[in-house]
Amino acid sequence: MRNKRVFFFALLFFISVFFMELGRGQNNRRTEVNVGAVTDVGTTYSEVAMLCINLSLTDFYSTRPQFQTRLVVNVGDSRNDVVGAAAAALELIKNKQVKAILGPWTSMQAHFLIEIGQKTQVPVVSYSATSPFLTSLRSPYFFRATFEDSSQVNAIKAIIKLFGWREVVPVYIDNTFGEGIMPRLTDALQEINVRIPYRSVIALNATDDEISVELLQMMTMPTRVFIVHMYSSLASRVFIKAKEIGLMRPGYVWILTNGVTDDLSSISDMGIEAMEGVLGVKTYIQKSKALNQFKSRWRKRFPRKELSVYGLWAYDATTALAIAIEEAGTNNLTFSNADPRRNVSELEALGLSRYGPKLLQTLSEVKFKGLAGDFGFINGQLQPSVFEIINVVGNGERSIGFWTEENGIVKKIDQQPRSMSALSTWKDHLKHIIWPGEAESAPKGWEIPTNGKKLRIGVPKRTGYTDLVKVTRDPITNSTLVTGFCIDFFEAVIRAMPYDVSYEFIPFEKRDGKAAGNYNDLVHQVFLGRYDAVVGDTTILANRSSYVDFTLPFIKSGVGLIVPMDDLVKRDHFSFLKPLSWRLWVTSFVFFFFIGFTVWVVEHRVNPEFQGPKRYQASTIFWFAFSTMVFAPRERVFTFGARILVITWYFIVLVLTQSYTASLASLLTTQQLNPTITSMSSLIERGERVGYQRTSFIFGKLKEAGFSPSTLVPFDTSEECDEFLRNGPENGGISAAFLEIPYLRLFLGQYCNTYKMVEEPLNVDGFGFVFPIGSPLVADVSRAILKVAESPKAMELQRAWFKKKEESCPDPVTSPDPNPYVTSRQLGVDSFRLLFIGVFVICII
């Protein structure tokens, strides 16, 4: 038994020795593969990256001793220069025959290296070159082990949309890194109708004075939202100057891209203090046990060096390259040299890496869980799905939310998304924000700078209807005075704005004081940039809105049809007969004599007053008949039947005389006015001459409706319109006139007893203020218009400027005629038929 134990331990010992020797032999057969690392030797970021690369290789092979390959990193110094990076890469390929290159640091350097890698089939794996321009090179041998700058534009867009800012100014460095994000950023902002009125481009080596000049230029602009995309070293200088100048006061918004936020730790305390209240989009690194352990080791070994996200990407990129080279094997680790007999360039003399195509394939398939998160190339680069939103506060940063591809902006990464409803606010999506200048509320993002130029506001030069807009010039001071309803309403709106707006009115006139054009010409000046706005009686029209923006209408409008009124009653010497129809006159006279005759028949036998000679009895019949008209017959009635008949007839005469009196009074004292024309279609059918306001859009609308231009007569003033209508088409005048409702109210205030609005054939939205397309003032002014319209100030202005010259004139808008076409009616037999039948029956009885 004891011998068996000895034999077992001896066998175990020999097996252990065998495997140790076998392993030693295998270690001796491990293949070293040269790779390059092009970096700016001597810089802080280069040292951090190289340390992470070495730690990555150490950690990788210590946990995978069975791998047959070992990466040997050969460093090439790019000397912080584009040409230096290209030279370092050429040297590594020529002298070391590296199979892949890690780096370089900047996007400008990477541009050259990508071309070299493409020519030599040597993959270039960059962990810090983020410019989208590099993607356009479409080289399969370029791998971006970092996030492309344009991947964050959707997060920036979501922030701007959340706060409703309408204009932003990008502030970026003047190189490939800075310019690369602009196309995607511009497209993303256009999707939410956000304008970019200006781009601030700052050179890397700009002096403090040059930075100050650019910042002062930005300060004179109304836009208050700035997106900063540059290196952290330049950003620090920009913000220190911005704070000195006053661009970090309340009302300003600064948004940093991850080009700055990922490197905040390298910014000085003075720079961080100047950035108080700034928002930023930062690369999100998911927490993990491996990451925490690595950070702990880093702090112990390198306490004076700050670990950055680029260091983590360098670590993961090195791990990915080690995996890919192990998967690719060790075959064909050579270069195919060019034909020495040919006269070729130095680049072509390097030949092609036979190992490159295989390594290209394995690199594209690498997937693992790295320190910076899930690692895997999609179309040659990493694809982010989450960004962190930070707020620079105190001496550092504070996380206020996240942007995810699926849920948009949320406070916590695992939070369910909240809908962007009309009732939701930014506080539902982000944590509390400290704004620049410690502003209490979210900045509006746009305001008129007090130290900037005034708004140039064009106003129309009118010759008529000056109650709306009137331009006068002081002969002594030669200053311009602009008054009118539209002007007063605009000034009330400006007072209701949440911020001050400086402006000046500029009449749209020639040197001789006449109007410089029609209203379309005036509105077009805003499109051309000669005016910043137009204030006046400017109608909101679809064709105008294609090149300018209108506010909400501040007064209702439309186009009304004005026609003369004719009195239907013709007054003459026989007007007293017109209250009753001729049938009723005849019927009344017949019954008068019939009643007199009936009473005589009943009374002359018993009543002496109805007896006597025949001539006397005949005259008595006539006298009695007419005397009943005034209820004063001289003859008394004795019989019962005659009395009943007379009483009934008295009642009929009372009704008849009262009706006649009322009708005659109405006829003689009241005008029975009726319009001569009732619709626009009748004017078109008859080819009538009609008038319209000169310089108005109405001319084009009437031509579209079917009027011949030869029948359209322009006028300027109410008096001119009245003269045309009174003359009529027979005397060179017009049959009707078309006026917009505000002008119509003023016109009928003077001539309501002569003219009438019979139809509103054309509908328009109303009068609005004009601004350039995309101007943030449109929304603010529209809100202020609503405030004024809902306040007593609106009615006060209406009464002040639309007060009727004749108080008896009804307002055609607020008090329309409820019975516009009522005509008088003569009294006829039908109205009294029942009474006449009743008295006739009594007479017969």
Side-chain angles (χ1 to χ4, degrees), residues 579-581 583-584 825-833 836:
L580 305 181
S581 66
R583 292 179 182 274
L584 184 55
R825 180 184 175 215
Q826 285 185 318
L827 298 175
V829 178
D830 293 343
S831 304
F832 306 94
R833 178 175 297 174
F836 283 119

Side-chain angles (χ1 to χ4, degrees), residues 454-735:
K454 296 180 178 179
L455 283 180
R456 298 163 301 162
I457 298 180
V459 293
K461 180 65 180 293
R462 296 199 57 87
T463 56
Y465 300 100
T466 53
D467 292 305
L468 294 172
V469 180
K470 183 178 182 181
V471 177
T472 56
R473 194 172 296 276
D474 191 321
I476 300 176
T477 62
N478 200 33
S479 60
T480 301
L481 178 64
V482 185
T483 58
F485 170 78
C486 298
I487 303 302
D488 285 358
F489 200 100
F490 175 76
E491 291 175 345
V493 167
I494 292 300
R495 289 192 292 270
M497 295 277 284
Y499 46 82
D500 293 332
V501 178
S502 300
Y503 59 89
E504 60 177 337
F505 292 122
I506 304 174
F508 185 53
E509 61 182 0
K510 300 177 183 177
R511 292 184 178 180
D512 59 2
K514 296 181 179 179
N518 58 27
Y519 279 74
N520 287 334
D521 299 328
L522 174 59
V523 172
H524 196 248
Q525 303 306 305
V526 176
F527 173 75
L528 297 177
R530 294 171 185 167
Y531 294 145
D532 299 315
V534 166
V535 170
D537 49 340
T538 312
T539 307
I540 301 172
L541 297 175
N543 62 332
R544 293 173 179 173
S545 64
S546 62
Y547 53 89
V548 294
D549 274 350
F550 286 93
T551 63
L552 291 176
F554 60 90
I555 187 172
K556 180 184 180 298
S557 188
V559 178
L561 175 59
I562 300 291
V563 298
M565 302 293 290
D566 273 354
D567 193 349
L568 298 181
V569 179
K570 304 301 180 182
R571 295 170 179 82
D572 50 30
H573 299 295
F574 299 98
S575 295
F576 70 93
L577 295 176
K578 292 180 179 178
L580 305 181
S581 66
W582 69 270
R583 292 179 182 274
L584 184 55
W585 280 115
V586 172
T587 303
S588 300
F589 277 110
V590 168
F591 266 86
F592 272 115
F593 292 115
F594 181 63
I595 294 300
F597 178 75
T598 304
V599 171
W600 175 79
V601 170
V602 175
E603 291 288 325
H604 81 283
R605 297 175 184 173
V606 295
N607 191 338
E609 295 183 3
F610 288 90
Q611 297 174 357
K614 293 182 179 180
R615 182 177 293 181
Y616 176 78
Q617 292 186 42
S619 63
T620 300
I621 294 173
F622 281 100
W623 171 260
F624 184 85
F626 279 101
S627 63
T628 57
M629 185 182 299
V630 292
F631 311 105
R634 185 185 61 184
E635 296 77 12
R636 292 184 300 170
V637 179
F638 295 154
T639 62
F640 177 77
R643 289 180 177 181
I644 293 297
L645 178 61
V646 171
I647 292 173
T648 304
W649 179 243
Y650 278 170
F651 176 74
I652 294 175
V653 171
L654 176 65
V655 173
L656 190 61
T657 54
Q658 293 296 324
S659 299
Y660 172 82
T661 303
S663 181
L664 181 61
S666 174
L667 181 68
L668 296 177
T669 61
T670 304
Q671 287 182 313
Q672 303 294 333
L673 300 176
N674 226 34
T676 56
I677 296 168
T678 59
S679 68
M680 184 175 71
S681 58
S682 63
L683 290 170
I684 298 174
E685 291 172 2
R686 291 153 53 179
E688 297 280 0
R689 286 165 54 89
V690 297
Y692 68 94
Q693 296 166 269
R694 195 188 306 273
T695 74
S696 171
F697 69 95
I698 297 178
F699 177 74
K701 295 291 184 182
L702 293 179
K703 287 202 301 181
E704 293 176 4
F707 283 95
S708 172
S710 61
T711 63
L712 301 177
V713 180
F715 58 84
D716 291 311
T717 65
S718 297
E719 292 74 18
E720 191 176 356
C721 179
D722 172 55
E723 182 180 356
F724 280 136
L725 288 169
R726 279 191 290 104
N727 290 339
E730 299 84 6
N731 300 314
I734 55 179
S735 299

Side-chain angles (χ1 to χ4, degrees), residues 50-61:
M50 291 308 302
L51 288 173
C52 289
I53 289 173
N54 292 326
L55 286 174
S56 175
L57 292 176
T58 302
D59 295 344
F60 182 80
Y61 290 120

